[in-house]
Amino acid sequence: RQYTTRLAAHMADVDLFQPEITKQYGDEERTEDVKTVMKKAGMTNRSTVFLLSDNQIKSDKMLEDIDSLLNSGEVANIFAPDEKGEICEAVRPAC
């Protein structure tokens, strides 16, 4: 199934992001990965596939974040205020 997703993403010229899950993968790494994919999709205006298999889900919090991202398009309180300012500047149209 991952192969099919990778192939479809390539054929559609869509960026693909798959986090590297290790034994030391924790909340901090998960948060950074979600931030990375959200910034990549939003700030560069590129369609992005976030590929995550069921055996890569390590905690309930990770599942909650992915659920929130799918349902509302955001993860609550993931960005600090200074990061939000940086993102707003990046997506603001040039005048």
Side-chain angles (χ1 to χ4, degrees), residues 65-93:
D65 286 351
I66 299 302
D67 181 60
S68 177
L69 188 59
L70 291 171
N71 286 322
S72 67
E74 66 179 331
V75 178
N77 303 320
I78 195 164
F79 292 108
D82 59 324
E83 289 176 302
K84 287 181 183 178
E86 173 191 334
I87 293 167
C88 287
E89 288 299 317
V91 298
R92 185 171 289 139

Side-chain angles (χ1 to χ4, degrees), residues 41-84:
M43 293 170 68
T44 63
N45 199 24
R46 291 268 305 155
S47 296
T48 305
V49 172
F50 185 41
L51 182 58
L52 189 67
S53 65
D54 58 347
N55 60 356
Q56 289 179 302
I57 298 173
K58 297 287 186 184
S59 68
D60 288 342
K61 179 63 176 148
M62 185 176 189
L63 189 60
E64 289 172 11
D65 286 351
I66 299 302
D67 181 60
S68 177
L69 188 59
L70 291 171
N71 286 322
S72 67
E74 66 179 331
V75 178
N77 303 320
I78 195 164
F79 292 108
D82 59 324
E83 289 176 302
K84 287 181 183 178

Side-chain angles (χ1 to χ4, degrees), residues 1 4 18 20 23 25 27-28 31 38 51 57 60 62-63 68 72 80 87 91:
R1 292 181 194 154
T4 306
Q18 184 172 21
E20 189 69 35
K23 289 186 180 195
Y25 193 84
D27 288 341
E28 189 173 314
T31 300
M38 289 177 71
L51 182 58
I57 298 173
D60 288 342
M62 185 176 189
L63 189 60
S68 177
S72 67
I87 293 167
V91 298

